[in-house]
Amino acid sequence: MTFTALDHLHMARALRLAERAAYTTRPNPMVGCVIAHGEQVVGEGWHQRAGGPHAEIHALRAAGEAARGATAYVTLEPCAHYGRTPPCALALIEAGVGRVVAAMRDPFPKVDGGGFTLLREAGIEVAEGLMATHARELNHGFLSRIERARPWLRVKLAASLDGRTAMADGSSKWITGAAAREDVQHWRARAGAILTGAGTVLADDPQLTVRLPDVDVLPPLRVVLDARLRTLAQRRVREGDAATLYVHGEDVIAPIDTDAQFHAMPLQDGRFDLPAVMALLAEREINEVHTEAGATLSGALLRAGLVDELLLYQAPTLLGEQGRPLLDGLGITSMDQQRRLRVVEQRQIGDDLRLLLRP
C-alpha cells in the first residue's frame, strides 16, 4: 500500500500525540488521532485516560462539521465494541469521514479487525500499516500483554565501569548521579508495576514510587517477591498512594490487618515460577513491568528468557573486585554461552551513560 509524504507527516503527529498519555492511559494503549483535509489539520486528540474518551472522539469534537470528507489518521485501529465508551469506528462513520489511515490493527480480541470491517462496510476507505513499527514500539507493553499473555519486562541496573552494582556489604547509594536517578522516575512512571525482591527491600528499604512533581501519573503497582514474607516490617514500600502486592509462598499465611495485597503461589525448590508471576501480572492488566532488584532476581529473570530490555546506567567510577556483580546465576562457563545484546539507544545522562539494550 502506497502512502504519501503528507500521510507520513500526519501519522507522525498522531504518534507524538499518543505519547502524551504514557503515564496515564494504562491499561489501555496509547492512541493519537489527527483529522485533516490535505495539509489542513481540522482536529486532533489523544486517549488521555482509561475510561475517558478515545483519541478519535477528542479529534472529532475538535473538528466538528469539518470532519466530513476528511482523512482520519489513527495510530491504532478504531475500536468496534462497546466497553466503557462507545465504538470509535461508529463515531467516525457518523462524522462522515472519507478515509481512515491506521498505523496498525488492534490485536485485542474484541477489536482485531472489527473496526476496519465496520468502516469498510460503511463505504469508508481504510489503509493500514503506515509507520507500523513506530506504533508497535509505542505500545509494546499493551501488545505484549495481549499477544504473549505477559507484560513487557524491563530490568533497570546501575553499575560502575567494572560492572559492580554495590559494595560487598550491599551498600550502593549512590553509584549514579542525581540526573540519572531523576531519569529513572520517568521509566517508573510509564510502567504498570515496579517489581523487586525481598533482598532489595530488606537491604535498601525503598519506596518504589514515582517522584515527578506536577506531573500527572497513575501510580504503578509495587510488587514484592517475598516467599516467606520477611519484609513486612519494612513499611516504606507500602507508603504513599501506590498499592503494594506481596507475592509469597503457599505455606505462608498472609496477614489480614494490613493495607497491602497478597497473592500466594507455589514454589519450585524454594523459588518462584517467574513465568507464572508474569502471567499473574498480565491477568491484573499490567502492560509493562519495571524491575529494580538485586543481581539474583535480575539474573533469574534474564535466565528465564523474560527480560525484554535492560536499562543500564553506567557511572564513571570503579568499585573494585570485592563489589557485587551486575547479574548473578546466568550459568555462563564458556564464550559460546555468552548472551549477546543489541544496543537500542545510548545517551548521556548527567555524568552517567544510559544504555537501552535488548536481546
Side-chain angles (χ1 to χ4, degrees), residues 229-251:
L229 289 180
R230 296 178 297 143
T231 63
L232 291 182
Q234 311 293 108
R235 293 203 53 84
R236 279 170 54 84
V237 79
R238 297 197 299 277
E239 292 176 351
D241 297 332
T244 303
L245 170 67
Y246 291 89
V247 180
H248 59 88
E250 287 184 319
D251 59 340

Side-chain angles (χ1 to χ4, degrees), residues 318-334:
L318 300 169
L319 296 184
E321 68 278 2
Q322 298 301 317
R324 295 189 176 183
L326 191 68
L327 298 164
D328 196 11
L330 296 185
I332 296 174
T333 58
S334 62

